[in-house]
Amino acid sequence: MRRSMVLWVLAAVALAEAAALAVTAVRERWQAAAEAGPVQRGERVAQRMGCFGCHGPGGAGGIPDPGSRAGDVPTWVGGSWMMYNHAPGDVRDWIRDGHPAGQRPDAGALIKMPAFRGRMSAAELADLTVYVLTVSQFGDPADAKAVAGRDVALRFGCLGCHGPEGRGLISDPGSLKGYIPAWDGADYADLVHDDAELRQWVQKGAADRLRANPAARHFLDTEAIQMPAFGDRIKPEELDALASYVRWVRQHPRTAPPEG
């Protein structure tokens, strides 16, 4: 009896250790994936440099700035941001020098944009610039249908889970890799083979092919953040436009602007 109890305890400990190792492995895979792209690295630079203190979490809500032209620190997401930026290089120059060449900071603003020249590496500057360009959705796609698809993605809340421009990696406990796949990542090609499967994901919450696979279905059912099924809430023409935008995102990776 005592021997069987000891064996049971040892088995329980072994299972617990295996589970802990599995969780650690998923976390490490997510961290490695999150560090792989400039958008994810740039977000960490923004956090480390204190950018969100003035521009708000994720750059989505600037604090009041009495005396400034807009009345607040520009948010990166919409708002008065485009008043100050006309080219991708302007974003880099604001970060590095506190203002773009030929453009002076707002003289009436009490809260001045700091210059980070010498306080971050060239790689960090490039990553942060890419992050700001991405969350601000700087520039419109040349394809009008892709622009319409971006509006669909915003209206239906897609970017809340898939990240800015669908390029983010949001943690998703219980999923296969620990995160919600980005549209421009390698995972997307495994999960979505064509536009027909994209429609299945949007309308049904998953592709039929994956629902039919027991292993894939397990993770679809156990992940904390599950893809919603929009059904007929989204129109066929909206689905087509969304597919165009996803293709545009995959075909146009965000990169830092060249030095002017």
Side-chain angles (χ1 to χ4, degrees):
M1 185 71 169
R2 182 175 300 171
R3 174 182 168 79
S4 64
M5 180 63 74
V6 170
L7 290 175
W8 184 89
V9 171
L10 290 175
V13 170
L15 286 172
E17 290 179 346
L21 288 173
V23 171
T24 300
V26 168
R27 184 180 297 114
E28 289 175 348
R29 286 200 301 270
W30 177 79
Q31 289 175 339
E35 291 168 356
V39 176
Q40 292 76 41
R41 294 194 304 265
E43 181 179 22
R44 296 186 181 190
V45 174
Q47 182 68 50
R48 197 163 61 248
M49 294 294 169
C51 304
F52 299 146
C54 289
H55 292 285
I63 62 174
D65 187 4
S68 67
R69 280 185 285 169
D72 55 21
V73 174
T75 65
W76 297 342
V77 183
S80 59
W81 179 247
M82 297 308 297
M83 179 191 304
Y84 300 95
N85 296 278
H86 308 292
D90 290 347
V91 174
R92 178 200 57 228
D93 294 346
W94 274 108
I95 298 168
R96 183 182 58 192
D97 300 320
H99 61 87
Q103 182 180 163
R104 303 304 301 176
D106 188 343
L110 293 179
I111 300 173
K112 310 292 186 183
M113 174 66 189
F116 287 94
R117 183 186 290 272
R119 298 182 184 273
M120 64 176 69
S121 68
E124 289 175 323
L125 174 62
D127 287 341
L128 179 54
T129 301
V130 168
Y131 177 70
V132 175
L133 289 170
T134 302
V135 298
S136 65
Q137 300 186 58
F138 193 97
D140 287 330
D143 181 3
K145 195 170 183 180
V147 174
R150 182 180 64 186
D151 294 340
V152 172
L154 288 167
R155 197 163 64 250
F156 282 90
C158 306
L159 307 185
C161 288
H162 291 284
E165 291 188 338
R167 303 181 195 273
L169 283 170
I170 309 301
S171 181
D172 186 6
S175 62
L176 176 60
K177 294 189 176 181
Y179 55 82
I180 297 172
W183 292 343
D184 63 349
D187 296 321
Y188 183 88
D190 295 328
L191 297 170
V192 185
H193 283 179
D194 50 33
D195 285 356
E197 285 201 344
L198 175 59
R199 293 186 182 93
Q200 290 172 5
W201 272 104
V202 176
Q203 292 181 309
K204 300 180 180 181
D208 294 342
R209 170 177 57 88
L210 298 178
R211 281 288 182 201
N213 183 304
R217 187 170 63 249
H218 166 76
F219 287 104
L220 290 171
D221 292 339
T222 59
E223 60 187 356
I225 303 173
Q226 299 187 357
M227 175 73 184
F230 288 95
D232 59 4
R233 291 180 176 85
I234 185 167
K235 300 174 182 177
E237 59 270 24
E238 292 174 322
L239 269 172
D240 289 341
L242 180 60
S244 294
Y245 180 57
V246 172
R247 281 195 297 273
W248 180 86
V249 169
R250 291 186 60 77
Q251 294 167 2
H252 296 83
R254 281 288 187 181
T255 58
E259 292 289 337

